Coordinates of all heavy atoms in Angstrom, one line a residue:
K189 N 13.0 2.0 19.7 CA 14.3 1.4 20.2 C 15.5 2.1 19.8 O 16.6 1.7 20.1 CB 14.4 -0.1 19.7 CG 13.3 -1.0 20.2 CD 13.5 -2.4 19.6 CE 12.4 -3.3 20.2 NZ 12.6 -4.7 19.6
D190 N 15.4 3.3 19.2 CA 16.5 4.1 18.6 C 17.3 3.3 17.7 O 18.6 3.4 17.7 CB 17.3 4.7 19.8 CG 18.2 5.8 19.3 OD1 17.9 6.5 18.4 OD2 19.3 6.0 19.9
L191 N 16.7 2.5 16.8 CA 17.4 1.8 15.8 C 16.9 2.2 14.4 O 17.1 1.4 13.4 CB 17.1 0.3 16.0 CG 17.7 -0.3 17.3 CD1 17.2 -1.7 17.5 CD2 19.2 -0.2 17.4
I192 N 16.4 3.3 14.3 CA 15.8 3.8 13.0 C 16.9 3.9 11.9 O 16.7 3.7 10.7 CB 14.9 5.0 13.1 CG1 14.1 5.2 11.8 CG2 15.8 6.2 13.4 CD1 13.1 4.1 11.5
F193 N 18.1 4.3 12.3 CA 19.2 4.5 11.3 C 20.0 3.3 11.2 O 21.2 3.3 11.4 CB 20.0 5.7 11.7 CG 19.2 7.0 11.8 CD1 19.0 7.7 12.9 CD2 18.7 7.5 10.6 CE1 18.3 8.9 13.0 CE2 18.0 8.7 10.6 CZ 17.8 9.3 11.8
T194 N 19.3 2.2 10.8 CA 20.0 0.9 10.6 C 19.5 0.2 9.3 O 18.5 0.7 8.7 CB 19.7 -0.1 11.8 OG1 18.2 -0.3 11.8 CG2 20.1 0.5 13.1
E195 N 20.2 -0.8 8.9 CA 19.8 -1.5 7.7 C 18.4 -2.1 7.9 O 17.7 -2.3 6.9 CB 20.8 -2.6 7.4 CG 22.1 -2.0 6.9 CD 21.9 -1.2 5.5 OE1 21.2 -1.7 4.7 OE2 22.6 -0.2 5.4
A196 N 18.0 -2.5 9.1 CA 16.7 -3.1 9.4 C 15.6 -2.1 8.9 O 14.5 -2.4 8.4 CB 16.5 -3.4 10.8
A197 N 15.8 -0.8 9.2 CA 14.8 0.2 8.9 C 14.7 0.3 7.3 O 13.6 0.5 6.8 CB 15.2 1.6 9.5
I198 N 15.9 0.3 6.7 CA 15.9 0.4 5.2 C 15.1 -0.8 4.6 O 14.4 -0.6 3.6 CB 17.3 0.6 4.7 CG1 17.9 1.9 5.2 CG2 17.4 0.4 3.2 CD1 19.4 2.0 4.9
K199 N 15.3 -2.0 5.2 CA 14.6 -3.1 4.7 C 13.1 -2.9 4.8 O 12.4 -3.3 3.8 CB 15.0 -4.3 5.6 CG 14.3 -5.6 5.2 CD 14.6 -6.8 6.2 CE 13.5 -6.7 7.3 NZ 13.5 -7.8 8.2
W200 N 12.6 -2.4 5.9 CA 11.1 -2.2 6.0 C 10.6 -1.1 5.1 O 9.5 -1.2 4.6 CB 10.7 -1.9 7.5 CG 10.8 -3.2 8.3 CD1 11.7 -3.5 9.2 CD2 9.9 -4.3 8.2 NE1 11.5 -4.8 9.7 CE2 10.4 -5.3 9.1 CE3 8.8 -4.6 7.3 CZ2 9.7 -6.5 9.2 CZ3 8.2 -5.8 7.5 CH2 8.6 -6.8 8.4
V201 N 11.4 -0.1 4.9 CA 11.0 0.9 3.9 C 11.0 0.3 2.5 O 10.1 0.6 1.7 CB 12.0 2.2 3.9 CG1 11.6 3.1 2.8 CG2 11.8 2.9 5.3
N202 N 11.9 -0.6 2.2 CA 11.9 -1.3 0.9 C 10.7 -2.1 0.8 O 10.1 -2.2 -0.3 CB 13.2 -2.1 0.8 CG 14.4 -1.3 0.4 OD1 14.3 -0.2 -0.1 ND2 15.5 -1.9 0.7
V203 N 10.2 -2.8 1.8 CA 9.0 -3.5 1.8 C 7.8 -2.6 1.4 O 7.0 -3.0 0.6 CB 8.7 -4.3 3.2 CG1 7.3 -4.8 3.3 CG2 9.8 -5.4 3.4
M204 N 7.8 -1.5 2.0 CA 6.7 -0.5 1.7 C 6.8 -0.1 0.2 O 5.8 0.0 -0.4 CB 6.8 0.7 2.6 CG 6.5 0.5 4.1 SD 6.9 1.9 5.1 CE 5.6 3.0 4.7
V205 N 8.0 0.2 -0.2 CA 8.1 0.6 -1.6 C 7.6 -0.5 -2.6 O 6.9 -0.2 -3.5 CB 9.6 1.0 -1.9 CG1 9.8 1.2 -3.4 CG2 10.0 2.3 -1.2
W206 N 8.0 -1.7 -2.3 CA 7.6 -2.8 -3.2 C 6.1 -3.1 -3.1 O 5.5 -3.4 -4.2 CB 8.4 -4.1 -2.9 CG 9.8 -4.0 -3.4 CD1 10.9 -3.9 -2.8 CD2 10.1 -4.1 -4.8 NE1 12.0 -3.8 -3.7 CE2 11.5 -4.0 -4.9 CE3 9.4 -4.3 -6.0 CZ2 12.2 -4.0 -6.1 CZ3 10.1 -4.3 -7.2 CH2 11.4 -4.2 -7.3
A207 N 5.5 -2.9 -2.0 CA 4.1 -3.1 -1.8 C 3.3 -2.0 -2.6 O 2.3 -2.3 -3.4 CB 3.6 -3.1 -0.4
I208 N 3.8 -0.8 -2.5 CA 3.2 0.3 -3.2 C 3.4 0.1 -4.7 O 2.5 0.4 -5.5 CB 3.7 1.7 -2.7 CG1 3.2 1.9 -1.3 CG2 3.3 2.8 -3.7 CD1 3.9 3.1 -0.6
A209 N 4.6 -0.3 -5.1 CA 4.9 -0.6 -6.6 C 4.0 -1.6 -7.1 O 3.5 -1.5 -8.2 CB 6.4 -0.9 -6.7
A210 N 3.8 -2.7 -6.4 CA 2.9 -3.8 -6.9 C 1.5 -3.3 -7.0 O 0.8 -3.6 -8.1 CB 3.0 -5.0 -5.9

Side-chain angles (χ1 to χ4, degrees):
K189 293 179 179 180
D190 194 30
L191 297 172
I192 192 63
F193 298 113
T194 62
E195 289 298 319
I198 294 170
K199 179 188 87 168
W200 285 110
V201 174
N202 285 337
V203 167
M204 293 171 73
V205 168
W206 282 107
I208 291 167

